[in-house]
Amino acid sequence: MQPVSSDKLRTRLSGIIWGDAKTGKTTWAMSLPGRKLLINFDPDGFISVAHRDDFDVFDLSVLPAGEAIEMSKKIGTYILDNADKYGSVIVDSLTTLTSLALEDAVMRGIGKSAKFTPTLEVPGLLAYGARTTNVQNVIERIMRASGQKNLHCFFIAHKNDPEFDEDG
């Protein structure tokens, strides 16, 4: 094994955009170079950028939790097979992906025993573990595929729902 010279290293932007809901994170992410592949988990997540013609979307928000998780695990292969079409990959949002992964774990009964039935309100440690495993798996597959093809890759997460006063 030999070291690689720095002039041969790939250069890309990758990271996470985190902030309040409805503050322009998706709009900012769409400023990434090239045609974008948007992997959408949020209902209406891409509405703010729907007028644009520089992206394709996997709208997983319309699928039940289990199907959305399984489909998202296959997107890395799609990225590898279609990288020449894109300059950037955007995942919107990790917050919703995490919720879907927990819902999937509960629906599959992860952690169920004779004395305990997981629910969304009280999922239990094993369901939380399954959630974490699935989210890490999805992130890793997308990061590896986009990195292998030198595509920019950003993940979006929001910390809360917007709050409105009496004037909106």
Side-chain angles (χ1 to χ4, degrees):
M1 181 177 214
Q2 294 293 317
V4 175
S5 173
S6 63
D7 64 338
K8 296 194 183 333
L9 294 177
R10 298 176 189 199
T11 56
R12 72 179 186 136
L13 295 171
S14 63
I16 186 167
I17 304 167
W18 180 76
D20 290 326
K22 308 293 183 199
T23 57
K25 296 177 300 300
T26 303
T27 302
W28 185 89
M30 292 298 284
S31 70
L32 287 167
R35 184 163 193 82
K36 273 68 76 180
L37 175 62
L38 177 60
I39 303 159
N40 182 66
F41 294 98
D42 281 340
D44 299 330
F46 57 88
I47 296 301
S48 64
V49 297
H51 65 282
R52 298 177 63 121
D53 63 359
D54 64 342
F55 73 100
D56 297 331
V57 63
F58 274 113
D59 188 8
L60 303 178
S61 71
V62 299
L63 300 176
E67 288 180 43
I69 298 301
E70 288 309 308
M71 180 64 82
S72 64
K73 290 178 181 178
K74 297 175 185 176
I75 290 176
T77 301
Y78 176 85
I79 292 168
L80 291 173
D81 293 344
N82 295 278
D84 58 326
K85 297 178 186 177
Y86 303 104
S88 302
V89 176
I90 301 165
V91 178
D92 191 358
S93 78
L94 289 179
T95 309
T96 306
L97 170 60
T98 301
S99 295
L100 289 169
L102 183 60
E103 181 181 341
D104 175 55
V106 168
M107 297 303 289
R108 289 188 296 131
I110 304 294
K112 185 176 182 175
S113 70
K115 295 181 180 182
F116 178 73
T117 300
T119 64
L120 285 176
E121 293 78 18
V122 184
L125 289 177
L126 292 177
Y128 278 127
R131 174 205 63 184
T132 301
T133 298
N134 275 330
V135 171
Q136 287 177 327
N137 189 294
V138 170
I139 291 170
E140 182 178 316
R141 288 173 188 230
I142 292 170
M143 285 295 293
R144 284 182 187 270
S146 62
Q148 186 176 339
K149 295 299 184 173
N150 204 29
L151 301 175
H152 305 290
C153 183
F154 269 77
F155 295 83
I156 297 171
H158 53 278
K159 63 180 184 177
N160 58 22
D161 290 326
E163 295 180 20
F164 298 97
D165 62 14
E166 58 193 36
D167 295 326

